[in-house]
Amino acid sequence: MMSNYALQLEVPDALRGRVFATDVMIATLAISVSLLGVGAVIDHVNPRLPIAICGALTLGYALVWRLITRRLPPT
């Protein structure tokens, strides 16, 4: 939801559809790659390791997103 809000504020109307499509494509690709990666290693390692790695990556992404969007006006 926050990425949609930020994109609506920053992207010109003429490009908005293409940018939203790219945003959804990247999100879907990231989900697919993470599922494939975890599925490949889950039988070979302690399940806590991939869960911890996925959690850390999500937290890192959230931190980067916050740093990038901190200049946007509050809702």
Side-chain angles (χ1 to χ4, degrees):
M1 184 175 105
M2 288 304 295
S3 68
N4 287 338
Y5 173 70
L7 288 173
Q8 285 179 358
L9 289 179
E10 295 295 319
V11 176
D13 291 342
L15 295 175
R16 194 168 290 154
R18 283 171 246 163
V19 172
F20 275 113
T22 303
D23 181 52
V24 171
M25 178 194 68
I26 291 170
T28 303
L29 182 64
I31 292 167
S32 300
V33 169
S34 68
L35 287 172
L36 286 171
V38 170
V41 301
I42 197 74
D43 290 333
H44 306 290
V45 299
N46 184 345
R48 291 180 184 190
L49 180 63
I51 291 170
I53 291 171
C54 289
L57 287 172
T58 301
L59 193 60
Y61 170 79
L63 180 63
V64 169
W65 181 257
R66 175 64 183 135
L67 292 173
I68 291 171
T69 59
R70 70 177 183 253
R71 73 182 194 318
L72 294 175
T75 58

